[in-house]
Structures are given as C-alpha cells and as structure tokens.
Amino acid sequence: MGVPITAHTRESAARDVVHLARRIRATRLTNQGVAVDALHTTSPVPRGDVHLCNAYTLALADRDPELHGVLGAAPLNLPDGQPVVWANRLLHRGTPLPATRVYGPDLLLDVFDLGRSSGLRHYLLGSTPHVLDALERQLRSRFPDALITGSCSPPFRPLTAQETRKQQEDIRSAEADVVWVGLGTPKQDRWAAELCTALPVVAVAVGAAFDFIAGTKPQAPHWMRRSGLEWVFRLGCEPRRLWRRYLFGNARFVWGVTRQSVKAVAGPDKTHTAAPLSAGEERRPYQAARPSGDPGRGNACH
C-alpha cells in the first residue's frame, strides 16, 4: 500500500531502536562538544521517528496523504499487526520474512531492558496522569535501574504553538534519548514525526502499550494475538469506540493488499529485511538531517 515496512523480528527491532537511540545521542553530544567514544560521529542528527503499523494505521494512510507521507519518510515502520506480517509475506513471496509481528508493548519492554546497559533515558508522553503513574510503577518495578527522566499527559486537544514549544523544551531539559508516544493513531504518528523534526531523539509511536503495561486495559490472550484475532477481543471490550475502526479499517486494508497483490506492474521491492548490526555500524535509511526546534519551558510535564 505504498508504506515501507521493515521485516524485523521482536529481538532485532529492539536492537535497532536501541542502536538508533545511541547513535542520535552520540551525535547530539558531539554537537554539544562532549567527547564520545562509542558510536562517535560528526554526521547530522538522523531522523528518529519509529511507527508501529497495524492494519488500521495502513488503512488510514491509504486515504490520508499527510499520514502516508509521514510513514513514507520515517526511518523505521514496524509490523505491529499480524495481518501486516501476513500481507508482507504474501506480497513478497520470494523473500524469507519473519512470521511474527513486532508487538508494541513487547518493543517498549525490550528497549527498556536492552537500553539499561547504555544508560538510555526514557520519556513517557501521552494518555492520562492515572495511566502514566501506573505505567511508571510497572516499569520501575521491572527495571529498577532504567532511567525514566520525565513524563507528560498532554490535553486531549490540539496544542497551541506555545504549548508545543514548552513540551519540546521539557523533553530537551530531561535529556531524553527515547520518547514513547502513546496518543492513538494517527495523532501519535504525526506527533512523533514533528518531535523528531524539532529534537535529536528517538520517538516511538507505540499505541495502546501504555494501557496494556499499566494494566488499565485488558490484553487479548496470547493465542488471539498470535493468530491475528486481537481486534476481535478489543472490539468486544470497546465496541462503541472501535466498531467503525475495525469495520471500515479492516475492509480497506484487505482491499489495499488485494489491489497491490494483483498488480502486474513490476516495481522496486520496498520490504527492508533487517540484518544484525555490528558495533558502530550505521543503518543506511537513518541519514536524513533534521533541524532543531524552538526552545520553551514546559510546566505541564514532569
């Protein structure tokens, strides 16, 4: 459907996000005049927005040129939905691809775990104060030595320019390396891209992972997640909120994949098969330079 999806496994996706965060941090510190031994680089700060894509995300992008452009320019889009994995394997039958998805809550927990040895600094952006408090308790309980340097529950409305600058300055002051954005699709995808335009950080649009890890929303059983039926469980839990999303979104996704699969026009294969990264190796898609943002002062975030 025109959106590049990286064929990662759960393990390789977490390693790639940690590697990107370390590289952006090294570049940021180098630009500040701080000597950095590991991953030393004088290149421009690479773009750092990461998107968890399920069938609904891709269905929205199929009819929203702005969202399609955000995902098309992102350095890393991960297959958060099992149907996306199946579609990739169908559309690229000649390429050996992973058979399982990269689940948002798993990615968050894995990056927290792997990032401890590098001292990665995390910032939580989204949801409600109640969910953020519960999420922080869970993360600090599981990873006592992980660094959570700030969090923010923004208002459920568009931010003013002043509020946006304050939020960015709060993240900058927290010296965050990874910003986890849980605001719902497509809002979180746009915010992640805008944040990485303004600041040298990795911003991961991670969907409902905040609620699932915090325990404020139930997760589908493992067998349903594995078999691509998580949407049935979530629809049963929140039918009034989600019925339009799954009825129209799933139908558009299936139509889009079918449309692409029957095309006879040859074109470039947009599947990126992730190879292991050696020490100091740079992933080629992460080369776009992004400008820094305007300073401000955040007071709604902590």
Side-chain angles (χ1 to χ4, degrees), residues 24-36 45 172 175 200:
I24 290 178
R25 179 177 64 183
T27 306
R28 181 179 73 237
L29 293 176
T30 299
N31 292 342
Q32 294 172 354
V34 179
V36 180
V45 177
R172 189 198 306 274
E175 298 181 342

Side-chain angles (χ1 to χ4, degrees), residues 24-249:
I24 290 178
R25 179 177 64 183
T27 306
R28 181 179 73 237
L29 293 176
T30 299
N31 292 342
Q32 294 172 354
V34 179
V36 180
D37 295 328
L39 296 178
H40 179 79
T41 176
T42 58
S43 63
V45 177
R47 179 167 170 164
D49 51 314
V50 177
H51 305 266
L52 278 294
C53 295
N54 54 28
Y56 178 62
T57 307
L58 297 178
L60 286 178
D62 195 45
R63 62 180 176 85
D64 183 343
E66 181 187 357
L67 178 60
H68 197 281
V70 166
L71 298 178
L76 187 58
N77 298 315
L78 298 170
D80 182 48
Q82 193 62 36
V84 178
V85 174
W86 293 335
N88 266 345
R89 289 166 66 85
L90 170 68
L91 297 171
H92 307 283
R93 287 184 289 269
T95 304
L97 299 176
T100 56
R101 64 176 177 158
V102 179
Y103 186 41
D106 290 340
L107 179 69
L108 193 157
L109 295 174
D110 290 347
V111 171
F112 258 78
D113 188 19
L114 290 175
R116 290 182 295 171
S117 61
S118 303
L120 289 188
R121 300 168 66 88
H122 302 269
Y123 191 100
L124 307 174
L125 174 62
S127 197
T128 65
H130 168 69
V131 172
L132 285 181
D133 288 343
L135 175 62
E136 283 198 51
R137 287 196 300 271
Q138 285 289 332
L139 291 172
R140 293 186 189 280
S141 174
R142 297 190 192 200
F143 312 107
D145 53 346
L147 300 176
I148 302 175
T149 59
S151 64
C152 177
S153 174
F156 289 91
R157 57 167 174 77
L159 299 185
T160 65
Q162 182 180 11
E163 288 172 331
T164 299
R165 288 194 297 270
K166 288 180 178 180
Q167 184 180 93
Q168 292 171 0
E169 182 56 29
D170 189 71
I171 295 171
R172 189 198 306 274
S173 299
E175 298 181 342
D177 300 310
V178 183
V179 180
W180 299 96
V181 186
L183 296 170
T185 301
K187 183 178 181 180
Q188 63 185 10
D189 298 284
R190 296 192 176 101
W191 278 38
E194 292 172 4
L195 189 59
C196 291
T197 299
L199 298 174
V201 297
V202 169
V204 188
V206 77
F210 284 16
D211 287 292
F212 292 153
I213 296 174
T216 54
K217 284 187 179 180
Q219 282 185 282
H222 181 70
W223 70 267
M224 295 187 78
R225 303 200 302 265
R226 187 178 61 250
S227 58
L229 294 175
E230 182 182 19
W231 69 272
V232 177
F233 180 88
R234 295 192 64 187
L235 179 61
C237 292
E238 301 179 85
R240 296 184 64 181
R241 186 176 76 88
L242 297 177
W243 74 269
R244 290 180 182 273
R245 164 176 174 166
Y246 289 125
L247 177 62
F248 297 108

